Structure formats: structure tokens, C-alpha cells
């Protein structure tokens, strides 16, 4: 049996397993939705308290002031900020890993900045960057920056000491050490950071839209709240959750593709 | 270099590790040892007697506090840069993120050997160490013995003049270990490898070696060198012969004497 057929059957197994694993959750979802719809119908709870799933769905797909447009705006803000913040965070992490002095000087700020709530920092950043989309991107970039710097640093320090000695005996150059050993060892950590960041970046984008905006899911949520349009509010909530899940799945797919040795190892355990 | 001069020579090697707060540790004291080209030499001795340290000095992983190491008349760092040193660790230390073939080809890749050439060489080596067919496996899919085979192939990839092996089979079960001993012995003979091999097993040392160097700790030094006059090629059933048992008993006695000495 070759490793190739192993991988193929592994993939088929993976799909079947994923379906089997998702089944209980799917069934529960259907049951909950039906019960919810019936309960709203029977008790006559007004829609501004709890809207029925059918009304949320209608609000979700209604063509008028389409949620799709606002979701796309928020998705762009989240994704752009995530990419920019993660890229700069990765660079800072590399500097930290190679210069303990810089790491020691800046680490307290990095840790402190991680504890600042996004609702507190968003208005400040938006004062600097204006009220456009760029300002929201800046907020989400800020959120991604430090977590990735920390994970990149930890990852670059996580290499196996014996493997380092193998590279030494083989007379590897510093660049070879970085690209062929330390960076690959760091990737699992980097993806831990990226998966956290991608979820937070959706939150960051929405929160900064709360502060000031005329489009995006945060804007929809605020206006729906003010006008007590609950089905639309719930639909926006659902859209933001789906957006978060979608971005997370994209990062997870990138992880599987980039570090197959690692993600498949976790499957087996 | 004349034919009789040693390929690997240690003369007057001291290694002292600064204690950093506690007392400094003298890992090796005045070690002198000459190893000829094509010779298989084992180092044996209780834990802490400096076997690994001696190998690490030869591989330029640490510098000696005193004394001189020469490989073919040159300092170890020069030979290391020329990829003339192979090192096999107790832990196979394969790169998890590379398939086996790419792992074995790593030293050639670092050296800048063209892709086709290095992969062809790596394939030949996988064949030599008996794991042909696992080119595309991930390291974690291999058993401990197979991983060690891959590590040996990797160390051999640049055809180094000197092969240093630090308890490469220490973590393996007895049957796997016997097999690998036999195969290593074959490969070393066929390739005329010069090997320094660290082990805790006197049987393994006698089976593989032309000479067994017995060491004692605190400070690490050589007590005796046993010449192994068993015929080549070595066979597993040799281990039942009188001479083999005699040599093992001699080794064991020297080892326990070393313990008594240090207890005084
Ligand atoms: N990097 C180091 N720093 C400080 N002391 C060290 C270092 N490496 C080894 N030593 C000390 O040097 C001595 C010899 O160590 P070494 O690892 O060479 O022993 P060994 O014979 O290989 O032992 P083992 O059989 O357990 O592998 C030990 O006392 C050890 O504690
Ligand atoms: Mg050791």
C-alpha cells in the first residue's frame, strides 16, 4: 500500500466521518427550529420579543436593503484587517524570536494591549483613522496584530533542539535554518493564532460599526434595534455568525493544506 | 596524510562545563584516542561518563576546553562545513513536516545539490537501509526502528568521512535492535565507514566493533580499550561463541570496576 492511496482513503474516511459527526447536530437543529416555530405560533409571542424562524429567514433574504451587501462590507473589513494585522504581527513575532532584548522591552505592552477591550480601543482608533471603511480595517488589524506576534514568537522558539543540531552538523546557513526548520515548526502555532484572530476580527469589525458607520452588519444591528425590527436584528446576528464560521473554515482549510502533517496527526489522536 | 595516520584523533581532550552557580562539571579529562579509517569503534560506560560529549566535540557541536581534535588532519568545524561528518542521535529527529524522502535528502538540499540528483541519492539510501517504498510516508507514520533507519540514511547522504552515532538504537526493542545491528554492521563494512558508536549495551558494542572503548565518569576518562578479534562479517549467531561471551564478560568487568573506582 502506498502513501498515496492511504491519503485518498484517509480523505474519503474524513468526509464520511465529518458527515457522521455532524448528523446529531443537524438533527437537533431541525428539531429546535420546528419547536421554535410551533411555540411562537401557539403562544403568540410578539415578534419584537422572539421572532419565528420563518420571519428571520424572510428578513435574511429580503431584497430590500439586502443583508448580503452589509455582510460583504463587514466581511471585507474583517478580512482586510485580519490579513494586515496578522502580517505585521508575524513580522513582529519574528523580531521577538530573534531578539530577546526587543522581546523583553515590548512584551509588557503586547500583553497589556491584549487585555484592552475592543469596545474601548475602537473609538480611539476611529478618531485617528476617520469614519470610513479604513478605520474599521484598522481596528480589526489592531486586534490581530499582537496575538499573532505572540504565537509566531512562541512557534519560532518551539523547534526541536536535536533537529537544530542536525542542521548544525549539516552546516545549514541561518536563512536555511529559518525557512526549513524554524518557520515550519512555527506554523501550527501560527494557525492557532490565525484561528483566534479570524473570529475576533468579525467582532472587531461589527463593534467598530457600532461606534460609527452607515453600512455593514453593525450598522444593520444598530438601526434594526432602534426601529425594533427584530426579525432583521436576528437575521443580522445570524449573518454575522455565519460570516465568522465561514472565515474560520477558510483558515482551517488553509491550515490543512499548508501543514497536512500536523492537521492529519490531530485527526488520528 | 600517510596510510597509518588516524582518520579521527583526539589528543588531550578536556571538556569542562561551567556550573553557572553550582560547581563546574569536568565531563572529559585528558582523552586521547586515535581511530583509523574504516574502523568501527564503540564507546561504552556508565551514564554521565562523557560519551555524548566526546561525540559532540568531534562533530563541532561543542568546543573542547583543552586538547586537539583532528579529522583527516583538519579541525572539526572545517570538516563539518565540508559535510564530512554524519551524526545519528538517539532520537531520530526527523522533520515532521517533510516526507521521508525529503528528510533523507535534507543535508544534500542544504548543500545545494540539484533536486533530481539528491532525490536519486536519497532513494538509493532508503533502499540501502531497508525502507524503500516509504518515500512518501510522513515520519510519524513510521515505527521507531524505521525512523532510525531514515535518520541513518540521512546521516549517510553526504557520504561523510566520519559517522558519529549516539545510542541510535537505545530506544528500540531487542529484536528490532538485533536486526538493525546486523544491517548496520553490513552497511558499515560495505561502505568502509568509519564509525564511532555510543551504546549502553556491551553485547551491541562487541558485536559491531573492531574496538570497544570503556569509559568511567567523574571525570570522564578512558579506562581500557578492548580489541575485538571476531571475524568479519559478523553474524547474529556469533553471540553464542565462547570468544564473544569472553569479550562481553571482560567488558562487563571493566565497567563494574569503573564504578568501584568512582565510589572511593
Ligand atoms: N550542556 C551541558 N552543560 C552542563 N553539563 C553538561 C552538559 N552536557 C553534559 N554535561 C555533563 O557532562 C557530563 C557528561 O555528559 P554526557 O552527556 O556526555 O554523558 P554520557 O556518557 O553521554 O551519558 P549518557 O549515557 O547518560 O548519555 C555529565 O555529568 C553531564 O551532566
Ligand atoms: Mg549520552
Amino acid at each position: 500500500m502506498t502513501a498515496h492511496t492511504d491519503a485518498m482513503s484517509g480523505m474519503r474516511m474524513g468526509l464520511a466521518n465529518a458527515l457522521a459527526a455532524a448528523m446529531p447536530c443537524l438533527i437537533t437543529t431541525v428539531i429546535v427550529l420546528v419547536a421554535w416555530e410551533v411555540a411562537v405560533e401557539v403562544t403568540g409571542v410578539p415578534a419584537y420579543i422572539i421572532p419565528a424562524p420563518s420571519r428571520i429567514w424572510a428578513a435574511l433574504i429580503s431584497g430590500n436593503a439586502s443583508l448580503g451587501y452589509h455582510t460583504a462590507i463587514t466581511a471585507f473589513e474583517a478580512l482586510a484587517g485580519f490579513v494586515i494585522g496578522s502580517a505585521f504581527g508575524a513580522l513582529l513575532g519574528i523580531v521577538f524570536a530573534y531578539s530577546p532584548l526587543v522581546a523583553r522591552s515590548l512584551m509588557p505592552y503586547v500583553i497589556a494591549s491584549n487585555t484592552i477591550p475592543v469596545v474601548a480601543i475602537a473609538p480611539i482608533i476611529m478618531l485617528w483613522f476617520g469614519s470610513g471603511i479604513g478605520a474599521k480595517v484598522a481596528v480589526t488589524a489592531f486586534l490581530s496584530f499582537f496575538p499573532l506576534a505572540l504565537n509566531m514568537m512562541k512557534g519560532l522558539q518551539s523547534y526541536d533542539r536535536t533537529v537544530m543540531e542536525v542542521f548544525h552538523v549539516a552546516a545549514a546557513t541561518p536563512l536555511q535554518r529559518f525557512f526549513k526548520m524554524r518557520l515550519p515548526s512555527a506554523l501550527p502555532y501560527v494557525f492557532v493564532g490565525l484561528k483566534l484572530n479570524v473570529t475576533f476580527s468579525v467582532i472587531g469589525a461589527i463593534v467598530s460599526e457600532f461606534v460609527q458607520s452607515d453600512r455593514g452588519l453593525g450598522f444593520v444591528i444598530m438601526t434594526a434595534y432602534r426601529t425594533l425590527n427584530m426579525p432583521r436584528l436576528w437575521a443580522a446576528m445570524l449573518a454575522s455568525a455565519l460570516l465568522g464560521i465561514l472565515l474560520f473554515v477558510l483558515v482551517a482549510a488553509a491550515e490543512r493544506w499548508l501543514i497536512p502533517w500536523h492537521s492529519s496527526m490531530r485527526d488520528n489522536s | 596524510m600517510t596510510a597509518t595516520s588516524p582518520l579521527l584523533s583526539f589528543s588531550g581532550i578536556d571538556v569542562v562545563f561551567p556550573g553557572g552557580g553550582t560547581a563546574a562539571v569536568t565531563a572529559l579529562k585528558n582523552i586521547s584516542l586515535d581511530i583509523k579509517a574504516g574502523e568501527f569503534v564503540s564507546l561504552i560506560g556508565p551514564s554521565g561518563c562523557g560519551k555524548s560529549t566526546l561525540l559532540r566535540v568531534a562533530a563541532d557541536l561543542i568546543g573542547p576546553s583543552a586538547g586537539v581534535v583532528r579529522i583527516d588532519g583538519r579541525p572539526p568545524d572545517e570538516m563539518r562545513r565540508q559535510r564530512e561528518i554524519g551524526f545519528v542521535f538517539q532520537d531520530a529527529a526527523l522533520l515532521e513536516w517533510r516526507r521521508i524522502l525529503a528528510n533523507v535528502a535534507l543535508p544534500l538540499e542544504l548543500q545545494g545539490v540539484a533536486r533530481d540528483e539528491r532525490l536519486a541519492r536519497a532513494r538509493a539510501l532508503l533502499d540501502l537501509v531497508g525502507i524503500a517504498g516509504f518515500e512518501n510516508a510522513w515520519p510519524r507514520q513510521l515505527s521507531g526502528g524505521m525512523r532510525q533507519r531514515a535518520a541513518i540514511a540521512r546521516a549517510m547522504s553526504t557520504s561523510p568521512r566520519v559517522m558519529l552515532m549516539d545510542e541510535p538504537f537505545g530506544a528500540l526493542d531487542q529484536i528490532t535492535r538485533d536486526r538493525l545491528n546486523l544491517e548496520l554492521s553490513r552497511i558499515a563494512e560495505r561502505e568502509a565507514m568509519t564509525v564511532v558508536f555510543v551504546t549502553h549495551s556491551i553485547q551491541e558494542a562487541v558485536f559491531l566493533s573492531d574496538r570497544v572503548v570503556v569509559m568511567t565518569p567523574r571525570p570522564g576518562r578512558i579506562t581500557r580499550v578492548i580489541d575485538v578479534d571476531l571475524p568479519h562479517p559478523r553474524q547474529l549467531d556469533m553471540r553464542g561463541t565462547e570468544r564473544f561471551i569472553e569479550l562481553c564478560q571482560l567488558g562487563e568487568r571493566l565497567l563494574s570496576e569503573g564504578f568501584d573506582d568512582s565510589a572511593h
Side-chain angles (χ1 to χ4, degrees):
Chain A
M1 195 166 33
T2 68
H4 180 66
T5 56
D6 276 355
M8 292 286 289
S9 65
M11 221 187 290
R12 248 179 270 124
M13 288 268 291
L15 256 175
N17 284 345
L19 266 179
M23 212 29 113
C25 178
L26 281 176
I27 292 169
T28 312
T29 308
V30 170
I31 292 172
V32 166
L33 284 179
V34 170
W36 180 352
E37 186 78 38
V38 170
V40 169
E41 196 67 32
V42 169
T43 60
V45 175
Y48 63 84
I49 305 286
I50 302 174
S54 57
R55 297 200 48 187
I56 298 172
W57 179 250
L60 192 65
I61 59 172
S62 76
N64 141 43
S66 140
L67 263 182
Y69 166 74
H70 293 287
T71 308
I73 295 285
T74 303
F76 173 79
E77 291 163 358
L79 205 56
F82 164 74
V83 168
I84 294 170
S86 299
F88 280 103
L91 286 179
L92 185 67
I94 293 170
V95 173
F96 280 177
Y98 276 86
S99 169
L101 182 65
V102 173
R104 271 203 304 279
S105 324
L106 297 183
M107 199 54 74
Y109 294 98
V110 172
I111 291 163
S113 76
N114 255 326
T115 65
I116 302 175
V118 58
V119 287
I121 196 80
I124 297 173
I125 295 180
M126 292 185 58
L127 273 175
W128 295 340
F129 286 86
S131 58
I133 282 180
K136 281 86 176 181
V137 172
V139 172
T140 57
F142 177 83
L143 291 181
S144 290
F145 183 66
F146 294 110
L148 204 69
L150 283 178
N151 276 291
M152 178 60 105
M153 180 186 73
K154 250 173 64 185
L156 287 174
Q157 289 168 344
S158 74
Y159 60 85
D160 181 310
R161 306 293 131 162
T162 315
V163 168
M164 177 59 110
E165 294 186 335
V166 168
F167 272 69
H168 179 80
V169 173
T173 64
L175 269 184
Q176 287 175 329
R177 272 172 220 220
F178 179 76
F179 283 109
K180 294 179 196 287
M181 186 193 60
R182 294 186 70 170
L183 194 57
S185 325
L187 283 181
Y189 288 81
V190 168
F191 273 100
V192 168
L194 289 178
K195 286 199 268 190
L196 281 175
N197 283 352
V198 81
T199 320
F200 280 122
S201 66
V202 175
I203 298 172
I206 290 175
V207 166
S208 45
E209 285 164 356
F210 283 175
V211 176
Q212 185 181 36
S213 64
D214 54 5
R215 66 198 80 175
L217 285 175
F219 169 75
V220 173
I221 290 169
M222 288 313 261
T223 46
Y225 173 69
R226 283 195 204 105
T227 57
L228 283 186
N229 185 348
M230 286 302 128
R232 190 164 167 81
L233 182 51
W234 283 64
M237 180 186 75
L238 189 59
S240 58
L242 290 177
L243 176 60
I245 293 169
L246 174 73
L247 293 182
F248 184 88
V249 166
L250 285 179
V251 174
E255 180 182 29
R256 281 186 164 269
W257 179 64
L258 270 174
I259 52 174
W261 80 89
H262 190 259
S263 28
S264 46
M265 178 167 69
R266 278 177 317 182
D267 282 353
N268 292 350
S269 59
Chain B
M1 289 287 108
T2 62
T4 53
S5 68
L7 179 64
L8 171 59
S9 78
F10 302 90
S11 32
I13 299 295
D14 289 358
V15 173
V16 182
F17 291 110
T22 60
V25 177
T26 305
L28 292 174
K29 184 76 196 154
N30 197 22
I31 298 282
S32 293
L33 180 67
D34 284 346
I35 294 164
K36 291 194 293 287
E39 211 179 0
F40 199 120
V41 173
S42 287
L43 308 179
I44 192 162
S47 191
C49 70
K51 306 179 294 293
S52 299
T53 304
L54 192 60
L55 283 198
R56 297 164 70 78
V57 167
D60 187 38
L61 282 164
I62 48 178
S65 316
V68 179
V69 185
R70 285 289 177 266
I71 302 172
D72 199 19
R74 314 212 156 272
D77 68 318
E78 198 180 316
M79 294 308 265
R80 177 177 65 80
R81 271 182 252 283
Q82 291 173 15
R83 275 88 180 182
E84 294 291 12
I85 298 172
F87 206 116
V88 181
F89 299 86
Q90 175 165 4
D91 171 18
L94 300 174
L95 313 188
E96 279 187 77
W97 54 89
R98 284 177 175 238
R99 294 176 192 273
I100 293 302
L101 188 68
N103 256 293
V104 171
L106 174 78
L108 294 171
E109 182 180 327
L110 297 174
Q111 196 177 0
V113 173
R115 187 186 155 79
D116 289 349
E117 193 183 331
R118 65 176 188 252
L119 293 186
R121 169 106 181 108
R123 269 197 197 88
L125 282 166
L126 284 181
D127 198 31
L128 183 75
V129 300
I131 47 171
F134 289 91
E135 287 86 348
N136 290 321
W138 296 110
R140 65 181 168 77
Q141 297 174 315
L142 267 55
S143 69
M146 283 153 75
R147 292 164 61 89
Q148 239 6 307
R149 289 170 191 261
I152 292 171
R154 176 178 64 187
M156 290 176 68
S157 64
T158 58
S159 306
R161 302 283 298 275
V162 178
M163 182 66 76
L164 307 169
M165 308 179 95
D166 194 353
E167 299 186 49
F169 308 141
L172 304 181
D173 64 89
Q174 192 58 50
I175 294 166
T176 310
R177 195 169 177 155
D178 285 349
R179 270 205 66 152
L180 283 173
N181 278 339
L182 190 63
E183 289 178 34
L184 175 62
S185 160
R186 293 277 176 287
I187 292 169
E189 259 168 51
R190 178 141 38 110
E191 311 282 315
M193 269 161 47
T194 308
V195 184
V196 188
F197 186 97
V198 171
T199 176
H200 276 120
S201 156
I202 183 73
Q203 283 80 12
E204 185 174 67
V206 170
F207 179 79
L208 287 168
S209 313
D210 301 307
R211 282 190 295 157
V212 177
V213 176
V214 183
M215 298 175 67
T216 47
R218 285 169 300 253
R221 60 201 185 279
I222 296 173
T223 33
R224 205 33 210 278
V225 178
I226 305 174
D227 281 304
V228 180
D229 47 8
L230 296 169
H232 290 273
R234 302 282 159 84
Q235 310 286 353
L236 282 181
D237 55 19
M238 259 178 204
R239 294 177 306 179
T241 64
E242 220 170 287
R243 186 63 188 145
F244 184 91
I245 294 166
E246 227 169 69
L247 287 166
C248 288
Q249 282 168 346
L250 172 63
E252 260 152 34
R253 206 176 62 235
L254 291 169
L255 279 173
S256 54
E257 275 168 15
F259 264 123
D260 292 346
D261 281 350
S262 58
H264 289 164

